[in-house]
Amino acid sequence: MSTITKENFKEDLNELVDIENQKQMNLAILFENSLSNSKEIRLTEFKDGLYVQANYYNSLEKYKTEIDKLVEQYEEQLDKLFEVCSTRYVNIQKELSAAIQSEIIVVTNISINKQNLEKALEGNDSEKIRYYTNKINASIQKKLNYETIIAECNDRLEACIEQISDFSEKIKINEKLNLTEKKQNKILEFFNNLIKRFNRKKNFENYVLKPSEEHLVQLKGEVEKSIGTLYNQIFAFAAQMEDNKNKINKAYEAMMTV
């Protein structure tokens, strides 16, 4: 059996808490920044695209209310999706915190049982020596198992951050700006502007508002699909974590009966 001292486990415990707390904090900041940045980028792209085209068709003042409504609908869909992303992240983080707390308890118990083993060795109590030796070995294995869960949770938290970028691309609305180059000939430019002003309502509605509304309808379908994927991942992860805990406890009990 490897040499284990109370000081070793005390240092191990402090280091475990510090490292994992810092890692969780860093990942949480990255996740929140990814959410806010992705939302801001998508909204800005969509809104600016609509405003540019509205200005081109001289329709901004007339259709500003309709444009803002479209932007609000887009924001609602972004919030709807990113809220479930947050739910998944929080659930993983809770499992991570629980695993860390369990590992801390195991580390503490190993330190205590190490002291008990030393007393048993001093008293030459064979039964207690066997009991505490098994308990220490079983606890060390339990600690290793929790380390595996902690590593997997951290990997999944990082995957959540990467997933934000993937979803952000899927829910991006690509507005094609139907803008024409300015004519150098003043007479042509005058007639182009005249036609543009005359047809501004028809053109803006046909080339901007209606396509944008269609894009939002398609977006809702994509959002619902992505949310379904997220909930499947949430449920599957919860089932996996429950199964892992049962296996850890059974493995511990099996080692205690040796």
Side-chain angles (χ1 to χ4, degrees):
M1 184 177 63
S2 59
T3 302
I4 304 170
T5 66
K6 183 170 63 176
E7 289 72 21
N8 290 150
F9 277 104
K10 185 176 181 181
E11 292 174 4
D12 192 10
L13 184 62
N14 291 333
E15 184 179 359
L16 169 68
V17 173
D18 291 342
I19 291 175
E20 291 301 333
N21 283 344
Q22 187 61 51
K23 183 178 289 186
Q24 285 191 65
M25 185 179 297
N26 292 339
L27 287 175
I29 292 173
L30 282 174
F31 181 77
E32 290 299 328
N33 287 343
S34 296
L35 279 183
S36 60
N37 290 340
S38 294
K39 177 181 176 179
E40 183 178 356
I41 289 171
R42 293 286 85 93
L43 281 178
T44 300
E45 286 177 345
F46 185 52
K47 185 175 182 178
D48 287 355
L50 291 174
Y51 271 48
V52 167
Q53 295 189 85
N55 281 322
Y56 174 73
Y57 289 110
N58 294 327
S59 302
L60 180 57
E61 183 177 353
K62 182 177 180 63
Y63 289 102
K64 186 177 184 304
T65 300
E66 284 79 359
I67 291 173
D68 289 343
K69 285 182 180 179
L70 289 176
V71 175
E72 287 177 5
Q73 291 176 30
Y74 188 35
E75 184 174 13
E76 287 175 1
Q77 293 303 309
L78 295 179
D79 288 340
K80 188 177 180 180
L81 174 60
F82 289 155
E83 182 179 353
V84 183
C85 289
S86 295
T87 297
R88 183 188 178 213
Y89 186 91
V90 169
N91 285 353
I92 296 172
Q93 197 171 48
K94 286 180 178 178
E95 290 290 349
L96 173 59
S97 296
I100 292 172
Q101 290 302 314
S102 295
E103 185 180 12
I104 290 172
I105 292 171
V106 171
V107 169
T108 303
N109 288 337
I110 292 174
S111 180
I112 294 172
N113 288 318
K114 171 59 180 176
Q115 297 175 57
N116 292 332
L117 177 59
E118 290 173 352
K119 292 179 181 178
L121 288 169
E122 290 174 359
N124 197 25
D125 189 330
S126 59
E127 184 176 345
K128 287 185 177 181
I129 290 173
R130 182 186 64 81
Y131 175 78
Y132 286 118
T133 298
N134 287 348
K135 198 161 189 177
I136 290 172
N137 289 334
S139 296
I140 290 174
Q141 183 58 53
K142 199 171 190 179
K143 179 182 183 298
L144 293 174
N145 290 335
Y146 278 124
E147 285 179 356
T148 300
I149 292 179
I150 290 170
E152 181 174 354
C153 286
N154 279 317
D155 288 342
R156 286 177 181 264
L157 291 178
E158 291 177 2
C160 283
I161 297 172
E162 296 175 0
Q163 191 178 48
I164 295 297
S165 298
D166 294 337
F167 282 144
S168 182
E169 285 301 314
K170 287 183 180 179
I171 58 180
K172 180 178 181 179
I173 296 181
N174 293 309
E175 288 290 348
K176 294 182 179 180
L177 304 184
N178 299 304
L179 311 182
T180 57
E181 295 182 0
K182 282 189 174 183
K183 306 296 182 180
Q184 296 300 319
N185 187 298
K186 296 296 182 181
I187 297 177
L188 289 176
E189 183 178 347
F190 169 78
F191 281 111
N192 282 336
N193 288 333
L194 183 64
I195 293 172
K196 181 175 65 176
R197 286 194 296 271
F198 181 76
N199 293 324
R200 65 181 182 178
K201 178 178 179 180
K202 178 180 178 181
N203 289 339
F204 187 72
E205 287 182 352
N206 290 337
Y207 298 141
V208 181
L209 287 184
K210 288 182 179 179
S212 294
E213 290 170 353
E214 292 173 358
H215 288 159
L216 283 172
V217 171
Q218 296 173 1
L219 175 71
K220 289 178 181 179
E222 184 62 44
V223 167
E224 291 299 326
K225 180 180 176 181
S226 297
I227 287 176
T229 297
L230 282 167
Y231 276 120
N232 286 336
Q233 292 172 342
I234 290 171
F235 297 144
F237 177 72
Q240 180 187 349
M241 288 298 103
E242 187 63 29
D243 183 56
N244 286 341
K245 293 171 190 174
N246 291 333
K247 288 180 178 178
I248 289 174
N249 291 331
K250 288 181 180 179
Y252 178 84
E253 292 172 0
M255 291 186 70
M256 285 298 298
T257 58
V258 174

